[in-house]
Amino acid sequence: MNDYPYPYPWKELPGTAEEMAFLDARFAKMSVRERFLVEGASQLESIETAADLINLTEQLDSFTLYYGVKDDAALGKYIAEYHHQATPDQLRFVDLNRWGLDIREKNGGVFVSGGYVERHYDCHDVYTGKNLEQITGGSASVRIKAASGSHPAGLWIKLPDYEISTGEPDELEVAMGELEITKWSRAVLLEAECCLDNITNLADQYESMEELIRAGNDLGYVLEEQGQGMPFFQERFEAAMELEGCTRLDEALDISQNLCCYDFIPSKPHWEKFGRDLVLKREDVHPSSPMGMYFDYTGYCKAEIEALNLQPCEDGYIARNEKEFVREFSKESQEQGQIQGQSL
């Protein structure tokens, strides 16, 4: 693998000290798949400043990597197999080289060291030059650095991986290909980081890479689903973890599936909206009724906090209720299952 981004040596780009520090940290932990995307995206977009590059790295989801595709015939074969479910018998009679060339000329993609990259969505100005603290740095549920005999220094992997839903090579297959392994048991875990600040010593929490990868994927899907539309899901989730003193990923996953076991009201700036939603759900007062026009929704929330004896936390007020907490992911759940199995 070459150094990225290509072809722009980012340390030579004009930018502020803060922007350069951000890019230094971003590229230090960029996954191997992200690097291939940047290699192609930097050829498809105009990169003249550090701000341009920050915008690009923040929108890598606008680009697609066809991993391992090195020429037009391979591109045609990839499209035929993954996008049109072509059978081996059909492929024998398809002009894959022509198909790949037509795709490349139509979409304007480029070949890179790891495959073929094309743009699917236009990029826009996410970074304004004044909102660096709001830039995600490539959002991930978990980032893993794994090493192998061919890459002893290790390569980063970003989770969640989406091959299970798309059927196409994603983070895990790309990383395995570059590490030249066929099983994760043949890789060595060097580092692991979680997007949840309260999860500490993640690398020591799982006995195998497979378990850690599965947990990282699960967390990614949980955060994307946002409780299937649950109001203030993120705040409730973080408050519940704070209440439980959660420092393990398996425990966090269990909490995410049992948020109904917590009575929660967000911080004071949200009381007006939360109060309106609460009285409407309970059918106490309709906000559009004459009484609703003069109803104190903020005071309603305050009274609810006192009635439920909620405890203050960083994201609002919370307490456990009497609903059953069902464990599925945590060590406690696994150990209980083993004990029950031995007693049968």
Side-chain angles (χ1 to χ4, degrees):
M1 291 175 57
N2 299 318
D3 290 332
Y4 301 109
Y6 175 87
Y8 302 95
W10 68 268
K11 291 186 178 180
E12 298 178 12
L13 293 172
T16 66
E18 291 77 13
E19 290 170 344
M20 303 310 280
F22 176 89
L23 288 172
D24 190 24
R26 180 72 173 94
F27 280 98
K29 295 182 179 179
M30 184 172 284
S31 77
V32 59
R33 177 176 171 275
E34 288 178 304
R35 285 179 175 249
F36 289 143
L37 285 171
V38 169
E39 184 183 358
S42 63
Q43 298 178 61
L44 298 172
E45 297 288 323
S46 176
I47 307 298
E48 298 180 358
T49 66
D52 291 336
L53 188 54
I54 291 172
N55 264 313
L56 183 66
T57 60
E58 193 71 1
Q59 299 175 82
L60 293 181
D61 287 344
S62 297
F63 301 85
T64 298
L65 169 69
Y66 300 130
Y67 179 60
V69 170
K70 298 297 182 70
D71 55 35
D72 288 334
L75 177 57
K77 186 172 184 289
Y78 188 104
I79 296 296
E81 289 185 329
Y82 288 112
H83 295 184
H84 298 276
Q85 293 73 51
T87 66
D89 286 340
Q90 290 173 323
L91 290 177
R92 292 169 51 206
F93 303 100
V94 177
D95 187 345
L96 298 176
N97 189 73
R98 184 68 237 181
W99 196 351
L101 177 60
D102 288 346
I103 291 291
R104 183 163 56 87
E105 291 180 344
K106 176 183 177 182
N107 298 336
V110 294
F111 292 111
V112 299
S113 58
Y116 173 81
V117 173
E118 65 181 27
R119 183 198 299 109
H120 279 279
Y121 306 103
D122 291 334
C123 292
H124 54 281
D125 291 335
V126 175
Y127 174 54
T128 64
K130 299 180 181 179
N131 62 336
L132 194 59
E133 70 283 351
Q134 298 175 3
I135 300 301
T136 67
S139 58
S141 57
V142 166
R143 283 186 185 269
I144 298 170
K145 190 174 186 181
S148 66
S150 62
H151 283 279
L155 299 174
W156 283 96
I157 304 156
K158 172 188 171 184
L159 298 176
D161 176 273
Y162 295 102
E163 183 175 357
I164 191 172
S165 59
T166 67
E168 298 183 43
D170 200 52
E171 286 282 339
L172 294 172
E173 185 167 336
V174 172
M176 292 182 79
E178 297 305 303
L179 291 169
E180 299 180 12
I181 60 174
T182 57
K183 298 180 180 179
W184 285 112
S185 58
R186 296 178 180 175
V188 177
L189 177 63
L190 300 181
E191 296 181 53
E193 297 180 352
C194 184
C195 66
L196 303 175
D197 294 337
N198 53 293
I199 305 302
T200 57
N201 301 318
L202 179 58
D204 299 327
Q205 294 183 14
Y206 291 90
E207 296 180 356
S208 69
M209 284 276 288
E210 290 89 349
E211 290 178 331
L212 175 55
I213 287 170
R214 186 162 52 249
N217 278 337
D218 287 339
L219 177 62
Y221 305 147
V222 163
L223 296 177
E224 288 178 357
E225 291 173 359
Q226 291 287 296
Q228 298 181 335
M230 176 183 289
F232 297 96
F233 166 82
Q234 193 67 36
E235 291 85 353
R236 185 186 298 261
F237 183 29
E238 293 180 3
M241 289 190 291
E242 180 183 343
L243 179 68
E244 302 290 2
C246 175
T247 60
R248 293 185 56 86
L249 180 51
D250 56 1
E251 294 172 353
L253 287 169
D254 272 336
I255 290 171
S256 75
Q257 302 302 298
N258 288 272
L259 292 181
C260 62
C261 296
Y262 300 89
D263 294 322
F264 173 77
I265 290 180
S267 55
K268 191 172 182 179
H270 302 288
W271 285 0
E272 171 74 17
K273 181 182 185 307
F274 194 88
R276 284 179 176 271
D277 294 341
L278 192 59
V279 298
L280 184 60
K281 179 180 179 181
R282 293 175 174 176
E283 299 183 349
D284 285 349
V285 175
H286 199 287
S288 62
S289 68
M291 185 182 299
M293 295 174 60
Y294 301 97
F295 198 82
D296 183 2
Y297 300 103
T298 296
Y300 190 87
C301 271
K302 184 177 180 180
E304 185 75 0
I305 291 171
E306 295 172 354
L308 295 175
N309 194 28
L310 303 186
Q311 304 302 308
C313 61
E314 184 174 350
D315 292 287
Y317 300 82
I318 193 167
R320 277 284 294 269
N321 57 38
E322 296 181 354
K323 293 181 179 178
E324 181 184 4
F325 191 103
V326 179
R327 295 186 180 275
E328 179 182 355
F329 299 95
S330 65
K331 290 289 185 180
E332 180 179 336
S333 173
Q334 296 168 12
E335 291 170 357
Q336 287 177 348
Q338 292 173 356
I339 292 173
Q340 291 173 356
Q342 292 171 0
S343 64
L344 295 176

